[in-house]
Amino acid sequence: MALKSKGGIGIKSLGVLFRRFDDNGNRKLDISEFEEALAECGLFPKYTDLQALMKFYDIDGDGNIGYEEFLRGLRDELSERRQKIVDKAFALMDQDGSGQITVEDVKHLYDPSFHKDFKEGTKTKEEVIEEFLDSFDGARGNNDGVISRQEWNDYYTDLSTSLPTDEYFVKMMESVWGIMEDEDSEANQDYVREIVKLIRERLLSMSNDSSDEYVLRKIFDYFDTNKSGNITIDELAGMTAKLKISVERRYLYGIMKRIDQDNNGAIEFNEFLNFIIMDPYK
């Protein structure tokens, strides 16, 4: 867009510009205020073009441009590198491969047990998860408790605006979702393999090398902190910490995949049992 090319205007500068022309301080620009802001950037569109621009920026259709709408209209598309890591995170969340993320998809990935509303009994687990999913909807979302691929991309495209480099963006995604940009590299595969081996050794040590189901169930329950009957990605992080194994969060999904045999995003007791009893590295 022409506005973005005018003098290398950054997000901070745009914020200053927006506030300067927001005469009544309501964090919105009407069409005349928007026209003044464009003129400040050396842009003088015809009135019909101005109306078209207003329609483009005015996402909620209230006849004004809010600050978030203003920034959203100026955003760049994700770079190829950023799009790939965003797609990888979506694939992690979209457990059934339906092309959308539902409550069922994330029940093992997002634990609402400690959410304030759930603990107080004002919301069910499903309602808390739906609220979590709705947080990705953004200005164009429909708050239906489902994240479409478009809503997911829009959310991270908006977020990307405030993150200056691809490297920073990728590290943020790796940390948040426990994924690796280059998980298939030989170095990362070797590292994950060694960590998984170490986890198994520490678990065997906890059980005194016992394969007794009762003993192993007690250990499993110890790490299943929310008593859901599964070890989630967050509980896996807690397990590695309790086993005194230092692991960056970006490696967790790779570790999970080696234990989670049915690939549903969580470790059930039978998978835990098989992992300890059957040495995958013999």
Side-chain angles (χ1 to χ4, degrees), residues 254-269:
I255 295 168
M256 173 70 80
K257 287 201 297 186
R258 289 177 179 265
I259 307 173
D260 174 25
Q261 295 169 340
D262 63 7
N263 198 33
N264 73 341
I267 303 168
E268 286 85 21
F269 176 65

Side-chain angles (χ1 to χ4, degrees), residues 105-264:
D105 285 322
V106 302
K107 66 181 182 181
H108 295 320
L109 299 171
Y110 176 69
D111 180 11
S113 301
F114 301 103
H115 191 282
K116 178 176 177 289
D117 291 336
F118 176 75
K119 290 174 71 175
E120 292 177 353
T122 58
K123 291 182 180 177
T124 66
K125 283 188 176 184
E126 289 72 19
E127 287 172 334
V128 172
I129 293 175
E130 284 182 2
E131 187 176 85
F132 165 72
L133 295 177
D134 285 342
S135 69
F136 286 85
D137 276 4
R140 293 188 187 275
N142 53 13
N143 294 321
D144 60 353
V146 173
I147 307 173
S148 68
R149 183 177 288 276
Q150 186 62 54
E151 289 170 340
W152 181 265
N153 282 339
D154 283 345
Y155 177 87
Y156 279 109
T157 303
D158 289 345
L159 181 61
S160 178
T161 303
S162 62
L163 301 178
T165 66
D166 284 357
E167 189 69 23
Y168 190 91
F169 183 88
V170 166
K171 286 188 179 300
M172 178 275 297
M173 292 293 292
E174 289 180 327
S175 178
V176 168
W177 296 110
I179 55 179
M180 290 182 286
E181 180 183 25
D182 53 350
E183 69 173 301
D184 294 328
S185 72
E186 186 175 346
N188 281 331
Q189 289 292 320
D190 288 345
Y191 178 79
V192 168
R193 188 179 299 110
E194 288 304 311
I195 292 295
V196 171
K197 186 176 180 180
L198 183 57
I199 290 172
R200 184 173 179 276
E201 289 172 357
R202 297 281 170 90
L203 291 172
L204 281 169
S205 179
M206 280 186 73
S207 71
N208 292 318
D209 289 325
S210 173
S211 59
D212 182 82
E213 187 169 324
Y214 175 77
V215 173
L216 298 179
R217 168 64 77 173
K218 287 187 69 174
I219 295 173
F220 179 87
D221 290 344
Y222 172 64
F223 294 120
D224 177 21
T225 55
N226 67 359
K227 307 308 175 190
S228 66
N230 305 285
I231 294 175
T232 65
I233 195 81
D234 288 330
E235 289 169 333
L236 177 61
M239 183 172 79
T240 58
K242 289 173 181 175
L243 293 174
K244 301 188 185 309
I245 301 172
S246 178
V247 181
E248 287 183 50
R249 189 171 177 85
R250 68 193 183 104
Y251 293 106
L252 288 178
Y253 184 55
I255 295 168
M256 173 70 80
K257 287 201 297 186
R258 289 177 179 265
I259 307 173
D260 174 25
Q261 295 169 340
D262 63 7
N263 198 33
N264 73 341

